[in-house]
Amino acid sequence: MSSTAADVLRLLTVRGETLAVAESLTGGMVAAALTAVPGASKAFRGSVTAYATELKQELLGVDGGLLAARGAVDPQVAAQMAAGVRTALGADWGIATTGVAGPDPQDGQPVGTVFVAVDGPSGAGQGCTDGRKVEALRLNGDRAEIRMESVRSVLALLLRELASEQTRNERAQDTERNGGF
């Protein structure tokens, strides 16, 4: 995981971009993984650990109606958390985790249900809706394992989106250099 965090921070630093993190079930573990990397302050702006459902609305701007209707463990909630932390902390990229680590189900969702999200400056890659990308995870293991895999998954998602965006930008530059053909 630390190599993924280091790769994310290296790419962001090279690009002159920044990252903010919104966490629920991971309780600060994503931020801890990032800040364990020397030089993280060049790209990492900060994090919001919104463990309580109402804080997702109050601090991150997640729609209260959505939270009331679906609960905190929902793909749209994850997407809104990523967008909200990006805006709140003034970052180029926002990532978020929400889910159920156990021991009990939550909001009608079984243990191991996790949603990770990325919100980026150009729609964060292919397959995005509303400029965001969300992945649904069904994780096995105990509470600690589910939380660790959630951290790994959100960092891996961001790394893929950063690489995807870089590839798109390189293709656009090639097209421009070649006269649009």
Side-chain angles (χ1 to χ4, degrees), residues 87-99:
T87 299
L89 300 187
D92 298 298
W93 293 85
I95 60 176
T97 63
T98 188

Side-chain angles (χ1 to χ4, degrees), residues 2 15 30-31 39 57-58 65 72 76 87 89 91-92 96 101 117 123-124 130 142-143 155 167:
S2 60
R15 294 158 61 134
V30 177
Q57 179 180 1
E58 294 169 12
Q76 287 182 311
T87 299
L89 300 187
D92 298 298
D130 298 328
D142 64 20
R143 182 176 173 79
L155 291 173
T167 300

Side-chain angles (χ1 to χ4, degrees), residues 1-124:
M1 177 172 37
S2 60
S3 66
T4 304
D7 290 344
V8 161
L9 290 166
R10 180 183 51 76
L11 271 176
L12 288 168
T13 300
V14 165
R15 294 158 61 134
E17 295 177 339
T18 57
L19 173 65
V21 177
E23 300 187 65
S24 187
L25 84 148
T26 49
M29 293 170 61
V30 177
L34 290 164
T35 58
V37 177
S41 62
K42 292 175 185 165
F44 182 61
R45 300 257 321 141
S47 66
V48 173
T49 301
Y51 208 65
T53 299
E54 67 272 9
L55 293 180
K56 291 170 181 63
Q57 179 180 1
E58 294 169 12
L59 298 177
L60 300 172
V62 175
D63 181 84
L66 174 64
L67 288 167
R70 296 198 184 155
V73 184
D74 181 80
Q76 287 182 311
V77 170
Q80 289 183 19
M81 287 173 65
V85 79
R86 180 179 170 219
T87 299
L89 300 187
D92 298 298
W93 293 85
I95 60 176
T97 63
T98 188
V100 186
D104 300 313
Q106 178 185 336
D107 297 332
Q109 298 285 354
V111 171
T113 302
V114 175
F115 298 98
V116 295
V118 172
D119 186 84
S122 68

